Amino acid sequence: DVKVTQSSRYLVKRTGEKVFLECVQDMDHENMFWYRQDPGLGLRLIYFSYDVKMKEKGDIPEGYSVSREKKERFSLILESASTNQTSMYLCAITQGGVSTEAFFGQGTRLTVV
Amino acid sequence: GEDVEQSLFLSVREGDSSVINCTYTDSSSTYLYWYKQEPGAGLQLLTYIFSNMDMKQDQRLTVLLNKKDKHLSLRIADTQTGDSAIYFCAESSKEAAGNKLTFGGGTRVLVKP
């Protein structure tokens, strides 16, 4: 059974704080993704990584950074949290190449106050 | 860039068929997917279709692909209350580095008893 685990289900942070969202997978998949989900906007890709220490910007990278020091772990960092980063954050993984399935974590609902 | 569009909401009576529509712009799409998100959960793959296919049937699910019009639909036969969820259309292409998925905004399906 594939497991994609996000470190927190719910987080409340203050404006200006540095926030770390962690994602860990146990499937040895090459590709890892961070999306944010907002009502009516679907899932928007923030950053993704196709190998250790490799990262690519997605569609909305501003205000975020990522880290992938080990294959199984992909971290999303909000350098200075702002209220417009209040959202549901979803981590996903896929196997290398064009695979037929992405596996998602349960999501982290982040509220910035 | 790529764009995937869906209607926001669909209401259907239990036992009827549901049809969820999706349009996409990327002509190099290789795979097209339907994901389901139940309340409080991450996304789960329902079904997918290769771009060289017109139709795929999987139990109560039928996927139709009109490649010329870049139109994808998901039909759910004999809709049940457990089918109430948000349904996301997504596409990927073999040119996309790291197998990036582009999602639509999601269609919220409400099944009324």
Side-chain angles (χ1 to χ4, degrees), chain A residues 9 31 33 35 37 40-43 45 48 50 59 90 94-95 97-102 104-106, chain B residues 8 30-31 33 35 37 40-43 45 48 50 88 92-94 97-101 103-105:
Chain A
R9 287 298 303 272
N31 308 317
F33 305 80
Y35 290 89
Q37 181 182 11
L41 297 177
L43 276 69
L45 182 63
F48 65 101
Y50 51 88
D59 301 316
L90 289 165
T94 65
Q95 187 53 285
V98 183
S99 73
T100 55
E101 185 166 7
F104 283 82
Q106 290 282 80
Chain B
L8 278 180
T30 307
Y31 288 78
Y33 310 81
Y35 280 83
Q37 185 182 34
L43 277 70
L45 180 69
Y48 65 91
F50 299 114
F88 291 92
S92 68
S93 74
K94 58 185 174 187
N99 186 212
K100 186 180 83 161
L101 286 168
F103 286 85

Side-chain angles (χ1 to χ4, degrees), chain A residues 61 76 84 113:
Chain A
L76 179 70
N84 64 12
V113 297

Side-chain angles (χ1 to χ4, degrees), chain A residues 47-94:
Chain A
Y47 266 97
F48 65 101
S49 168
Y50 51 88
D51 203 352
V52 176
K53 296 193 188 294
M54 304 301 288
K55 59 185 179 185
E56 291 281 340
K57 290 181 181 179
D59 301 316
I60 50 163
E62 297 78 19
Y64 303 94
S65 62
V66 289
S67 171
R68 192 163 180 204
E69 296 296 317
K70 293 185 179 180
K71 190 175 185 181
E72 68 269 18
R73 187 181 293 270
F74 191 35
S75 304
L76 179 70
I77 303 151
L78 286 67
E79 296 290 342
S80 177
S82 64
T83 54
N84 64 12
Q85 291 178 309
T86 292
S87 187
M88 170 71 85
Y89 290 87
L90 289 165
C91 174
I93 65 171
T94 65

